[in-house]
Amino acid sequence: MSAPRISEQDVINNVHGITDVEYLDKGGQKIVFSCKIGASPYVIKFLKIAEDADDEDAIQEDIVARAKREIEIMDRCDCSNLVKLGPIRMTEAKINGERVLFFTEEFIEGVPLHSVIKGQALSFRNTVQLGLDIAAAIQSLWNIRMVHRDIKPKNIVQRGSGSYVLLDAGIAFDLNAESLTSFGPVGTRLYMSPEQIINPSRSLDFRSDLFLLGLTMYESISQQHPFYQGGMDATAVMGSIVHSVPKQVMQLVPDIPPALNRVIMRLLAKQPHLRYKSIDSLRDDLTRILEGLE
């Protein structure tokens, strides 16, 4: 199912009290706009749900459940490194003949990490800050027994202050509830933990998100994905994540502090028990590295 066919004018015509609507992005069943409510900037997200769901009941239920979960996480997590819910909660409407759900969230002023690292690799300091900030987001999620499952440069924004914010918890995994419908591994194929690929059901915990953080830090500091090479298809990438040992970061960035190299490679361990046993331990190591850079 594709994203709904909605324009800026459609949003203005169908959502009361918003102005300055501009298209931002779309993907899957979702289309995203920036807007203002009063004088404050927000993001508004629209998701299409099937009009006649006889043959798509599971898919429709999954879309609604993911939207609800995304809103629940924004409601429950009080963390400056996770995006917050806006004033419009989940609402259903019919626009251009399509049934859609929409809701708002805070607008994060900054640059998507994937755009930042296209231009240049992150500095050692910024890479450590990235690790600290996203680890804080992972901890906040894990406090309510949630696993994000889709940590990647495109879902992280670098604020002007230099801090980082994690977006888009729509496929988060809840250990306290029934699993969302899953048609094979859930996540972005380039950014998955081995256990997401091997057993994408109820075996995930915060250590899966730590693997994705390690992958993101590796790519951010080296501008190279540890498991992808040009021409690989999704199956080959997933096979590489499960079986291939990536190059040490120091082979690509020779002057990296050895302690930072060790942290990133530990996060990328194939077996969850070989990664950090607690998020606090990771944050302690990163804090020591940051102090050493001063």
Side-chain angles (χ1 to χ4, degrees), residues 193-214:
S193 66
E195 57 268 32
Q196 278 179 274
I197 296 167
I198 295 168
N199 185 11
S201 56
R202 303 200 63 83
S203 63
L204 301 181
D205 62 22
F206 70 91
R207 295 171 297 181
S208 180
D209 280 350
L210 291 187
F211 184 93
L212 301 183
L213 173 57

Side-chain angles (χ1 to χ4, degrees), residues 28-234:
Q29 294 87 27
K30 187 182 297 182
I31 185 167
V32 184
F33 300 87
S34 63
C35 67
K36 284 188 176 179
I37 300 176
S40 300
Y42 291 95
V43 166
I44 184 165
K45 293 183 175 181
F46 291 83
L47 299 93
K48 183 165 68 175
I49 53 178
E51 182 67 35
D52 180 3
D54 288 345
D55 297 324
E56 299 190 57
D57 283 337
I59 296 175
Q60 176 172 317
E61 289 174 7
D62 192 47
I63 292 168
V64 174
R66 289 178 190 218
K68 288 180 177 177
R69 185 153 298 169
E70 188 166 5
I71 289 170
E72 177 190 4
I73 288 170
M74 289 188 287
D75 246 357
R76 294 177 64 189
C77 289
D78 184 20
C79 175
S80 62
N81 304 111
L82 280 169
V83 67
K84 304 294 189 301
L85 187 64
I88 299 176
R89 304 184 69 86
M90 190 165 69
T91 305
E92 183 173 331
K94 194 163 188 177
I95 302 176
N96 296 332
E98 298 180 322
R99 285 180 62 209
V100 297
L101 298 173
F102 64 87
F103 59 92
T104 56
E105 62 185 45
E106 70 173 315
F107 180 83
I108 305 297
E109 191 70 47
V111 183
L113 180 59
H114 75 99
S115 297
V116 174
I117 62 177
K118 277 182 181 178
Q120 62 180 14
L122 291 189
S123 67
F124 301 144
R125 179 178 298 279
N126 283 340
T127 302
V128 175
Q129 191 64 55
L130 169 67
L132 285 166
D133 289 347
I134 303 306
I138 293 169
Q139 181 70 76
S140 185
L141 288 166
W142 187 241
N143 287 343
I144 60 171
R145 291 301 182 262
M146 294 277 191
V147 182
H148 190 282
R149 295 199 294 180
D150 201 23
I151 296 172
K152 58 186 179 182
K154 193 171 183 180
N155 277 345
I156 297 170
V157 172
Q158 184 188 59
R159 292 185 188 269
S161 64
S163 64
Y164 297 87
V165 181
L166 180 60
L167 312 178
D168 206 351
I171 65 169
F173 184 88
D174 184 356
L175 272 73
N176 297 320
E178 293 297 317
S179 298
L180 296 179
T181 303
S182 175
F183 304 96
V186 177
T188 303
R189 296 301 190 261
L190 282 176
Y191 301 93
M192 303 182 76
S193 66
E195 57 268 32
Q196 278 179 274
I197 296 167
I198 295 168
N199 185 11
S201 56
R202 303 200 63 83
S203 63
L204 301 181
D205 62 22
F206 70 91
R207 295 171 297 181
S208 180
D209 280 350
L210 291 187
F211 184 93
L212 301 183
L213 173 57
L215 201 161
T216 300
M217 292 174 69
Y218 187 112
E219 184 173 4
S220 296
I221 201 170
S222 70
Q223 293 182 292
Q224 293 189 35
H225 191 287
F227 302 105
Y228 172 78
Q229 296 179 2
M232 293 174 69
D233 61 18

